[in-house]
Structure formats: C-alpha cells, structure tokens
Coordinates of all heavy atoms in Angstrom, one line a residue:
M1 N 111.2 79.2 102.5 CA 111.4 80.6 102.8 C 111.9 80.8 104.2 O 112.7 81.7 104.5 CB 110.0 81.3 102.7 CG 110.1 82.8 103.0 SD 111.1 83.6 101.8 CE 111.2 85.2 102.5
H2 N 111.6 79.8 105.1 CA 112.0 79.9 106.5 C 113.6 79.7 106.5 O 114.2 80.4 107.3 CB 111.4 78.8 107.3 CG 111.8 78.7 108.7 ND1 111.4 79.8 109.6 CD2 112.5 77.9 109.4 CE1 112.0 79.5 110.8 NE2 112.6 78.3 110.7
G3 N 114.1 78.9 105.7 CA 115.6 78.7 105.6 C 116.3 79.9 105.2 O 117.3 80.3 105.7
V4 N 115.7 80.6 104.2 CA 116.3 81.9 103.7 C 116.3 82.9 104.8 O 117.3 83.6 105.1 CB 115.6 82.4 102.5 CG1 116.1 83.8 102.0 CG2 115.8 81.4 101.3
N5 N 115.2 83.0 105.5 CA 115.1 84.0 106.6 C 116.1 83.7 107.7 O 116.7 84.6 108.3 CB 113.6 84.0 107.2 CG 112.7 84.8 106.5 OD1 113.1 85.7 105.7 ND2 111.4 84.6 106.6
S6 N 116.2 82.4 108.0 CA 117.2 82.0 109.1 C 118.6 82.3 108.7 O 119.4 82.8 109.5 CB 117.0 80.6 109.4 OG 115.8 80.3 109.9
A7 N 118.9 82.1 107.4 CA 120.3 82.4 106.9 C 120.6 83.9 107.0 O 121.6 84.3 107.4 CB 120.4 81.8 105.5
F8 N 119.7 84.7 106.5 CA 119.9 86.1 106.5 C 119.9 86.6 107.9 O 120.7 87.5 108.2 CB 118.8 86.9 105.7 CG 119.1 87.0 104.3 CD1 118.3 86.5 103.3 CD2 120.2 87.8 103.9 CE1 118.6 86.6 102.0 CE2 120.5 87.9 102.5 CZ 119.7 87.3 101.6
L9 N 119.1 86.1 108.8 CA 119.1 86.6 110.2 C 120.5 86.2 110.8 O 121.1 87.0 111.6 CB 118.0 85.9 111.0 CG 117.9 86.3 112.5 CD1 117.7 87.8 112.6 CD2 116.8 85.5 113.2
A10 N 121.0 85.0 110.5 CA 122.3 84.6 111.1 C 123.4 85.6 110.6 O 124.3 86.0 111.3 CB 122.6 83.2 110.7
I11 N 123.4 85.9 109.3 CA 124.4 86.8 108.7 C 124.3 88.2 109.3 O 125.3 88.7 109.7 CB 124.2 86.9 107.2 CG1 124.6 85.6 106.5 CG2 125.0 88.0 106.6 CD1 124.2 85.5 105.0
I12 N 123.1 88.7 109.5 CA 122.9 90.0 110.1 C 123.4 90.0 111.5 O 124.1 90.9 112.0 CB 121.4 90.4 110.0 CG1 121.1 90.7 108.6 CG2 121.2 91.6 110.9 CD1 119.6 90.8 108.3
L13 N 123.1 89.0 112.3 CA 123.5 88.9 113.7 C 125.0 88.8 113.8 O 125.7 89.4 114.7 CB 122.8 87.8 114.4 CG 121.3 88.0 114.7 CD1 120.7 86.7 115.3 CD2 121.1 89.2 115.5
L14 N 125.6 88.0 112.9 CA 127.1 87.8 112.9 C 127.8 89.2 112.6 O 128.8 89.5 113.2 CB 127.5 86.7 112.0 CG 127.3 85.3 112.4 CD1 127.6 84.3 111.3 CD2 128.1 85.0 113.6
E15 N 127.2 89.9 111.6 CA 127.8 91.2 111.3 C 127.7 92.2 112.4 O 128.6 92.9 112.7 CB 127.1 91.7 110.0 CG 127.5 91.1 108.7 CD 128.9 91.5 108.3 OE1 129.4 92.6 108.7 OE2 129.6 90.7 107.7
L16 N 126.5 92.2 113.1 CA 126.3 93.1 114.2 C 127.3 92.7 115.4 O 127.9 93.6 115.9 CB 124.9 93.0 114.8 CG 123.9 93.8 114.0 CD1 122.5 93.5 114.5 CD2 124.2 95.3 114.2
V17 N 127.5 91.4 115.7 CA 128.4 91.1 116.7 C 129.8 91.4 116.3 O 130.6 92.0 117.1 CB 128.3 89.5 117.0 CG1 129.5 89.1 117.9 CG2 127.0 89.2 117.7
H18 N 130.2 91.2 115.1 CA 131.6 91.5 114.6 C 131.8 93.0 114.7 O 132.9 93.5 115.1 CB 131.8 91.0 113.2 CG 133.1 91.4 112.6 ND1 133.3 92.5 111.9 CD2 134.3 90.8 112.7 CE1 134.5 92.6 111.5 NE2 135.2 91.5 112.0
T19 N 130.8 93.8 114.3 CA 131.0 95.2 114.3 C 131.1 95.8 115.7 O 131.9 96.7 116.0 CB 129.8 95.9 113.5 OG1 129.8 95.4 112.2 CG2 130.0 97.4 113.5
T20 N 130.2 95.3 116.6 CA 130.2 95.9 118.0 C 131.4 95.4 118.8 O 131.9 96.1 119.7 CB 128.9 95.5 118.7 OG1 128.7 94.1 118.7 CG2 127.8 96.2 118.1
V21 N 132.0 94.2 118.5 CA 133.1 93.7 119.2 C 134.4 94.3 118.7 O 135.4 94.5 119.5 CB 133.1 92.2 119.2 CG1 134.4 91.6 119.7 CG2 131.9 91.6 119.9
S22 N 134.5 94.6 117.4 CA 135.7 95.1 116.9 C 136.1 96.5 117.5 O 135.2 97.2 117.8 CB 135.6 95.2 115.3 OG 134.8 96.3 115.0
R23 N 137.3 96.7 117.5 CA 137.8 98.0 118.1 C 138.5 98.8 117.0 O 139.4 99.6 117.3 CB 138.8 97.7 119.2 CG 138.2 96.8 120.3 CD 138.3 97.5 121.6 NE 137.9 96.6 122.7 CZ 136.8 96.9 123.4 NH1 136.1 97.9 123.1 NH2 136.4 96.1 124.3
G24 N 138.1 98.7 115.8 CA 138.7 99.4 114.7 C 138.3 100.9 114.7 O 137.5 101.3 115.6
P25 N 138.8 101.6 113.7 CA 138.4 103.0 113.6 C 136.9 103.2 113.4 O 136.3 102.3 112.8 CB 139.3 103.5 112.5 CG 139.7 102.3 111.7 CD 139.7 101.2 112.7
M26 N 136.5 104.4 113.7 CA 135.0 104.7 113.5 C 134.6 104.6 112.1 O 133.5 104.1 111.8 CB 134.7 106.1 114.1 CG 133.3 106.4 114.0 SD 132.3 105.3 115.0 CE 132.3 106.1 116.5
T27 N 135.4 105.0 111.1 CA 135.0 104.9 109.7 C 134.8 103.4 109.3 O 133.9 103.1 108.5 CB 136.1 105.5 108.8 OG1 137.3 104.9 109.1 CG2 136.1 107.0 109.0
Q28 N 135.6 102.5 109.8 CA 135.4 101.1 109.5 C 134.1 100.6 110.1 O 133.4 99.8 109.5 CB 136.6 100.3 110.1 CG 136.5 98.8 109.8 CD 136.7 98.5 108.3 OE1 137.3 99.3 107.6 NE2 136.1 97.5 107.8
Q29 N 133.8 101.0 111.3 CA 132.6 100.5 112.0 C 131.3 101.1 111.2 O 130.3 100.4 111.1 CB 132.5 100.9 113.4 CG 133.5 100.2 114.3 CD 133.5 100.5 115.7 OE1 132.7 101.4 116.1 NE2 134.3 99.9 116.5
V30 N 131.4 102.3 110.8 CA 130.3 102.9 110.0 C 130.1 102.1 108.7 O 129.0 101.8 108.4 CB 130.5 104.4 109.8 CG1 129.5 105.0 108.8 CG2 130.5 105.2 111.1
Q31 N 131.2 101.8 108.1 CA 131.1 101.0 106.8 C 130.4 99.7 107.1 O 129.5 99.2 106.3 CB 132.4 100.8 106.2 CG 133.1 102.0 105.6 CD 134.4 101.7 105.0 OE1 134.6 100.7 104.4 NE2 135.4 102.7 105.2
E32 N 130.8 99.0 108.2 CA 130.2 97.7 108.5 C 128.7 97.8 108.8 O 127.9 97.0 108.4 CB 131.0 97.1 109.6 CG 132.4 96.6 109.2 CD 133.2 96.0 110.3 OE1 132.7 95.9 111.4 OE2 134.4 95.7 110.0
F33 N 128.3 98.9 109.5 CA 126.9 99.1 109.8 C 126.1 99.4 108.5 O 125.0 99.0 108.4 CB 126.7 100.2 110.8 CG 126.7 99.7 112.2 CD1 127.8 100.1 113.1 CD2 125.8 98.9 112.7 CE1 127.8 99.7 114.4 CE2 125.8 98.4 114.0 CZ 126.9 98.8 114.9
L34 N 126.7 100.1 107.6 CA 126.0 100.3 106.3 C 125.9 99.0 105.5 O 124.8 98.8 104.9 CB 126.8 101.3 105.5 CG 126.7 102.8 105.9 CD1 127.7 103.7 105.1 CD2 125.3 103.3 105.8
I35 N 126.9 98.2 105.6 CA 126.8 96.8 105.0 C 125.6 96.0 105.6 O 124.9 95.3 104.9 CB 128.1 96.1 105.0 CG1 129.1 96.8 104.1 CG2 128.0 94.6 104.6 CD1 130.5 96.3 104.2
I36 N 125.5 96.1 106.9 CA 124.4 95.4 107.6 C 123.1 96.0 107.1 O 122.2 95.2 106.9 CB 124.6 95.6 109.1 CG1 125.8 94.8 109.6 CG2 123.3 95.1 109.9 CD1 126.2 95.1 111.1
G37 N 123.0 97.3 107.0 CA 121.8 97.9 106.5 C 121.4 97.4 105.1 O 120.2 97.2 104.8
V38 N 122.4 97.3 104.2 CA 122.2 96.8 102.9 C 121.7 95.3 102.9 O 120.7 95.0 102.2 CB 123.4 96.9 102.0 CG1 123.3 96.1 100.7 CG2 123.8 98.3 101.7
T39 N 122.3 94.5 103.8 CA 121.8 93.1 103.9 C 120.4 93.1 104.4 O 119.6 92.3 103.9 CB 122.8 92.4 104.9 OG1 124.1 92.5 104.5 CG2 122.4 90.9 105.0
V40 N 120.1 93.9 105.4 CA 118.7 93.9 105.9 C 117.7 94.4 104.8 O 116.6 93.8 104.7 CB 118.6 94.8 107.2 CG1 117.2 95.1 107.6 CG2 119.4 94.2 108.3
G41 N 118.1 95.4 104.0 CA 117.2 95.8 103.0 C 117.0 94.8 101.9 O 115.9 94.6 101.4
V42 N 118.0 94.1 101.5 CA 117.9 93.0 100.5 C 117.0 91.9 101.1 O 116.1 91.4 100.4 CB 119.3 92.5 100.1 CG1 119.1 91.2 99.3 CG2 120.0 93.5 99.3
R43 N 117.2 91.5 102.4 CA 116.4 90.5 103.0 C 114.9 90.9 103.0 O 114.0 90.1 102.7 CB 116.9 90.3 104.4 CG 116.0 89.2 105.2 CD 116.4 89.2 106.7 NE 115.5 88.4 107.4 CZ 114.3 88.7 107.9 NH1 113.9 89.9 107.7 NH2 113.6 87.8 108.6
S44 N 114.7 92.2 103.3 CA 113.3 92.6 103.4 C 112.7 92.6 102.0 O 111.5 92.2 101.9 CB 113.3 94.1 103.9 OG 112.0 94.6 104.0
G45 N 113.4 93.0 101.0 CA 112.9 92.9 99.6 C 112.6 91.5 99.2 O 111.6 91.3 98.5
L46 N 113.4 90.6 99.6 CA 113.2 89.2 99.2 C 112.0 88.6 100.0 O 111.2 87.9 99.4 CB 114.4 88.3 99.6 CG 115.6 88.5 98.7 CD1 116.8 87.7 99.2 CD2 115.3 88.1 97.2
E47 N 111.8 89.1 101.2 CA 110.6 88.7 102.0 C 109.3 89.2 101.3 O 108.3 88.5 101.2 CB 110.7 89.2 103.4 CG 109.7 88.6 104.3 CD 110.0 89.1 105.8 OE1 111.1 89.3 106.1 OE2 109.0 89.2 106.5
V48 N 109.4 90.5 100.9 CA 108.2 91.1 100.2 C 107.9 90.3 98.9 O 106.7 90.0 98.6 CB 108.5 92.6 99.9 CG1 107.4 93.1 98.9 CG2 108.5 93.4 101.2
A49 N 108.9 90.0 98.1 CA 108.7 89.3 96.9 C 108.2 87.9 97.1 O 107.4 87.4 96.3 CB 110.1 89.2 96.1
A50 N 108.7 87.2 98.2 CA 108.2 85.9 98.5 C 106.7 85.9 98.9 O 106.0 85.0 98.7 CB 109.1 85.2 99.5
G51 N 106.3 87.0 99.6 CA 104.9 87.1 100.0 C 104.0 87.7 99.0 O 102.9 88.1 99.4
A52 N 104.5 87.9 97.8 CA 103.7 88.5 96.7 C 102.3 87.9 96.5 O 101.3 88.6 96.3 CB 104.5 88.6 95.4
P53 N 102.2 86.6 96.5 CA 100.9 86.0 96.2 C 99.8 86.4 97.3 O 98.6 86.5 97.0 CB 101.1 84.5 96.2 CG 102.5 84.3 95.9 CD 103.2 85.5 96.5
Q54 N 100.3 86.7 98.5 CA 99.3 87.0 99.6 C 98.9 88.5 99.5 O 97.8 88.9 100.0 CB 100.0 86.8 100.9 CG 100.4 85.4 101.1 CD 101.3 85.2 102.3 OE1 101.7 86.2 103.0 NE2 101.6 83.9 102.6
N55 N 99.7 89.4 98.9 CA 99.4 90.8 98.8 C 99.0 91.2 97.4 O 99.3 90.4 96.4 CB 100.7 91.6 99.2 CG 101.1 91.3 100.7 OD1 100.3 91.0 101.5 ND2 102.4 91.3 100.9
G56 N 98.5 92.3 97.3 CA 98.1 92.8 95.9 C 99.3 93.3 95.2 O 100.4 93.7 95.8
P57 N 99.3 93.3 93.8 CA 100.5 93.6 93.1 C 100.9 95.1 93.3 O 102.1 95.4 93.3 CB 100.1 93.4 91.6 CG 98.6 93.2 91.6 CD 98.2 92.9 93.0
R58 N 100.0 96.0 93.5 CA 100.3 97.4 93.8 C 101.1 97.5 95.1 O 102.1 98.2 95.1 CB 99.0 98.2 93.8 CG 99.3 99.7 94.1 CD 98.0 100.5 94.0 NE 98.1 101.8 94.5 CZ 98.5 102.9 93.8 NH1 98.9 102.7 92.6 NH2 98.6 104.0 94.4
E59 N 100.7 96.9 96.1 CA 101.3 96.9 97.4 C 102.7 96.3 97.3 O 103.7 96.9 97.9 CB 100.5 96.2 98.5 CG 101.1 96.2 99.9 CD 100.2 95.5 100.9 OE1 99.0 95.4 100.7 OE2 100.8 95.1 101.9
V60 N 102.9 95.2 96.6 CA 104.2 94.6 96.4 C 105.1 95.5 95.7 O 106.3 95.7 96.1 CB 104.0 93.2 95.7 CG1 105.4 92.7 95.3 CG2 103.3 92.2 96.6
A61 N 104.6 96.1 94.6 CA 105.5 97.0 93.8 C 105.9 98.2 94.7 O 107.1 98.6 94.6 CB 104.7 97.5 92.6
I62 N 105.0 98.8 95.4 CA 105.4 99.9 96.3 C 106.5 99.5 97.3 O 107.5 100.2 97.5 CB 104.1 100.5 97.0 CG1 103.3 101.2 95.9 CG2 104.5 101.5 98.1 CD1 101.9 101.6 96.5
N63 N 106.2 98.4 98.0 CA 107.2 97.9 98.9 C 108.6 97.6 98.3 O 109.6 97.9 98.9 CB 106.7 96.7 99.7 CG 105.6 97.0 100.7 OD1 105.6 98.1 101.2 ND2 104.7 96.0 100.9
L64 N 108.6 97.0 97.1 CA 109.9 96.7 96.5 C 110.6 98.0 96.1 O 111.8 98.1 96.2 CB 109.6 95.8 95.3 CG 109.3 94.4 95.6 CD1 109.0 93.6 94.3 CD2 110.4 93.7 96.3
V65 N 109.8 99.0 95.6 CA 110.5 100.3 95.2 C 111.1 101.0 96.4 O 112.2 101.5 96.4 CB 109.4 101.2 94.5 CG1 110.0 102.6 94.4 CG2 109.1 100.6 93.1
L66 N 110.3 100.9 97.5 CA 110.8 101.5 98.8 C 112.1 100.8 99.3 O 113.1 101.5 99.7 CB 109.8 101.6 99.8 CG 108.6 102.5 99.6 CD1 107.5 102.4 100.7 CD2 109.1 104.0 99.5
N67 N 112.1 99.5 99.2 CA 113.2 98.7 99.7 C 114.4 99.0 98.7 O 115.5 99.2 99.2 CB 112.9 97.2 99.7 CG 112.2 96.8 100.9 OD1 112.4 97.4 102.0 ND2 111.4 95.8 100.8
A68 N 114.2 99.0 97.4 CA 115.3 99.3 96.5 C 115.8 100.7 96.7 O 117.1 100.9 96.6 CB 114.7 99.1 95.1
A69 N 115.0 101.6 97.0 CA 115.5 103.0 97.2 C 116.3 103.1 98.5 O 117.4 103.7 98.5 CB 114.3 104.0 97.3
A70 N 115.9 102.4 99.5 CA 116.6 102.4 100.8 C 118.0 101.7 100.6 O 119.0 102.3 101.0 CB 115.8 101.7 101.8
V71 N 118.0 100.6 99.9 CA 119.3 99.9 99.6 C 120.2 100.8 98.7 O 121.4 100.9 99.0 CB 119.0 98.5 99.0 CG1 120.3 97.9 98.4 CG2 118.4 97.6 100.0
L72 N 119.6 101.4 97.8 CA 120.4 102.3 96.9 C 121.0 103.5 97.7 O 122.2 103.8 97.5 CB 119.6 102.9 95.7 CG 120.3 103.8 94.7 CD1 121.4 103.0 94.0 CD2 119.3 104.3 93.8
I73 N 120.3 104.1 98.6 CA 120.8 105.2 99.4 C 121.9 104.7 100.3 O 123.0 105.3 100.4 CB 119.7 105.8 100.2 CG1 118.7 106.6 99.3 CG2 120.2 106.7 101.3 CD1 117.4 107.0 100.0
L74 N 121.8 103.5 100.9 CA 122.8 102.9 101.7 C 124.1 102.6 100.9 O 125.2 102.8 101.4 CB 122.3 101.7 102.4 CG 121.3 101.9 103.5 CD1 120.7 100.6 104.0 CD2 121.9 102.7 104.7
V75 N 123.9 102.1 99.7 CA 125.1 101.8 98.9 C 125.8 103.0 98.5 O 127.0 103.1 98.5 CB 124.6 100.9 97.6 CG1 125.8 100.8 96.6 CG2 124.2 99.5 98.1
I76 N 125.0 104.1 98.1 CA 125.7 105.4 97.7 C 126.4 105.9 98.9 O 127.5 106.4 98.8 CB 124.6 106.3 97.2 CG1 124.1 105.9 95.9 CG2 125.1 107.8 97.2 CD1 122.9 106.6 95.4
A77 N 125.8 105.8 100.1 CA 126.5 106.3 101.3 C 127.8 105.5 101.6 O 128.8 106.1 101.9 CB 125.6 106.2 102.5
L78 N 127.7 104.2 101.4 CA 128.9 103.4 101.6 C 130.0 103.7 100.6 O 131.2 103.9 101.0 CB 128.5 101.9 101.5 CG 129.6 100.9 101.7 CD1 130.2 101.0 103.1 CD2 129.1 99.5 101.4
C79 N 129.6 103.9 99.3 CA 130.6 104.3 98.3 C 131.2 105.7 98.6 O 132.5 105.8 98.5 CB 130.0 104.3 96.9 SG 129.6 102.7 96.3
H80 N 130.4 106.6 99.0 CA 130.9 107.9 99.3 C 131.9 107.9 100.5 O 132.9 108.5 100.5 CB 129.7 108.9 99.7 CG 130.1 110.2 100.1 ND1 130.7 111.1 99.2 CD2 130.1 110.9 101.3 CE1 131.0 112.3 99.9 NE2 130.6 112.1 101.1
L81 N 131.5 107.1 101.5 CA 132.4 107.0 102.7 C 133.7 106.3 102.4 O 134.7 106.8 102.8 CB 131.6 106.2 103.8 CG 132.3 106.0 105.1 CD1 132.4 107.4 105.8 CD2 131.6 105.0 106.0
R82 N 133.7 105.3 101.5 CA 134.9 104.6 101.1 C 135.8 105.6 100.3 O 137.0 105.6 100.5 CB 134.6 103.3 100.4 CG 134.1 102.3 101.3 CD 134.0 101.0 100.6 NE 133.6 99.9 101.6 CZ 133.3 98.7 101.3 NH1 133.4 98.3 100.0 NH2 133.0 97.8 102.2
R83 N 135.2 106.3 99.4 CA 136.0 107.3 98.6 C 136.6 108.3 99.5 O 137.8 108.7 99.3 CB 135.1 107.9 97.6 CG 134.9 107.1 96.3 CD 134.2 107.9 95.3 NE 133.7 107.0 94.3 CZ 132.5 107.2 93.8 NH1 131.7 108.2 94.1 NH2 132.0 106.3 92.9
R84 N 135.9 108.8 100.4 CA 136.4 109.8 101.3 C 137.5 109.3 102.2 O 138.5 109.9 102.5 CB 135.2 110.4 102.2 CG 135.6 111.5 103.0 CD 134.4 112.2 103.7 NE 134.9 113.3 104.5 CZ 134.1 114.0 105.1 NH1 132.8 113.8 105.1 NH2 134.5 115.0 105.8
F85 N 137.3 108.1 102.7 CA 138.3 107.4 103.5 C 139.6 107.2 102.7 O 140.7 107.4 103.2 CB 137.8 106.1 104.1 CG 138.7 105.3 104.9 CD1 139.1 105.9 106.2 CD2 139.2 104.1 104.5 CE1 140.0 105.2 107.0 CE2 140.1 103.4 105.4 CZ 140.5 104.0 106.6
R86 N 139.5 106.8 101.5 CA 140.7 106.6 100.6 C 141.4 107.9 100.4 O 142.6 108.0 100.4 CB 140.3 105.9 99.3 CG 140.1 104.5 99.4 CD 139.9 103.8 98.0 NE 139.2 102.6 98.2 CZ 138.1 102.3 97.5 NH1 137.6 103.1 96.5 NH2 137.5 101.2 97.7
A87 N 140.6 109.0 100.1 CA 141.2 110.3 99.9 C 141.9 110.8 101.1 O 143.0 111.3 101.0 CB 140.1 111.3 99.5
E88 N 141.3 110.6 102.3 CA 142.0 111.0 103.5 C 143.2 110.2 103.8 O 144.2 110.8 104.3 CB 141.0 110.9 104.7 CG 139.9 112.0 104.7 CD 138.9 111.8 105.8 OE1 139.1 110.9 106.6 OE2 138.0 112.6 105.9
S89 N 143.2 108.9 103.6 CA 144.4 108.1 103.8 C 145.5 108.3 102.8 O 146.7 108.2 103.2 CB 144.0 106.6 103.9 OG 143.6 106.2 102.6
S90 N 145.2 108.7 101.6 CA 146.2 109.0 100.6 C 146.9 110.4 100.9 O 148.0 110.6 100.5 CB 145.7 109.0 99.2 OG 144.7 110.0 99.0
D91 N 146.1 111.3 101.6 CA 146.7 112.6 101.9 C 147.7 112.5 103.0 O 148.6 113.4 103.2 CB 145.6 113.6 102.4 CG 144.7 114.0 101.2 OD1 145.2 113.9 100.1 OD2 143.6 114.5 101.4
D92 N 147.6 111.5 103.9 CA 148.5 111.3 105.0 C 149.9 111.0 104.6 O 150.5 110.7 103.8 CB 148.0 110.3 106.0 CG 146.8 110.8 106.7 OD1 146.6 112.0 106.7 OD2 146.0 109.9 107.2

C-alpha cells in the first residue's frame, strides 16, 4: 500500500507543478486542476478500500460513496468545461 500511496503522491505533485508552472490559458489550468482533483479522489477511495479491514463496513461504504460522488462531480465539471471550451473555440 505504501508504494501505491507514493506513486499517487508523485503523480499529484507532478500535476500540481506542471499546472502552476505552465503559462497556458486559464481554461487549460482549470481543466488540469480538475484532473488533479479526480486523481486525489481516486487515491482517497483506494486508501479507504485498502483500510477496509480496520474500519466497519458501514463506515467504509459511506466513505466510498462520498469519494465516488466527489469524483463524479469533478468529472462532470471537467466534461462541461471541455464542451464549453470547444463550443467557444469553434465560434471563433
């Protein structure tokens, strides 16, 4: 589990550095931050699932549902942002 945590942490940190260093348009940076949020949500869900034997099944189920809902909201926001960006760029 420690290796998975380290790998996800490295990915998240690399994404944050890339996003903050890049000088792209604001819509691109927002998309990258949403992707970082999805990555963090998935990592958190995997951590909850891996710690399931230590916690009660009800607590694990609640945490997984909350993580899944958060990731779903972020993915919907990302899709909406990308559609809007494509529509604006095709209008130009």
Side-chain angles (χ1 to χ4, degrees):
M1 182 65 189
H2 181 68
V4 173
N5 277 339
S6 298
F8 272 118
L9 181 61
I11 291 170
I12 291 166
L13 290 176
L14 286 173
E15 284 289 331
L16 277 172
V17 168
H18 177 268
T19 301
T20 54
V21 171
S22 70
R23 303 238 185 246
M26 183 59 88
T27 54
Q28 182 67 30
Q29 290 181 0
V30 171
Q31 289 180 39
E32 291 177 2
F33 273 113
L34 287 173
I35 291 169
I36 292 169
V38 169
T39 306
V40 169
V42 169
R43 177 191 176 275
S44 178
L46 290 174
E47 189 175 333
V48 167
Q54 300 167 355
N55 301 327
R58 179 177 167 84
E59 183 179 335
V60 171
I62 290 171
N63 285 333
L64 287 176
V65 167
L66 290 175
N67 278 331
V71 169
L72 181 63
I73 290 169
L74 290 171
V75 168
I76 290 170
L78 181 63
C79 291
H80 178 69
L81 185 67
R82 286 187 175 176
R83 281 190 196 134
R84 187 171 181 179
F85 181 65
R86 282 189 204 128
E88 287 176 1
S89 64
S90 66
D91 289 342
D92 291 339

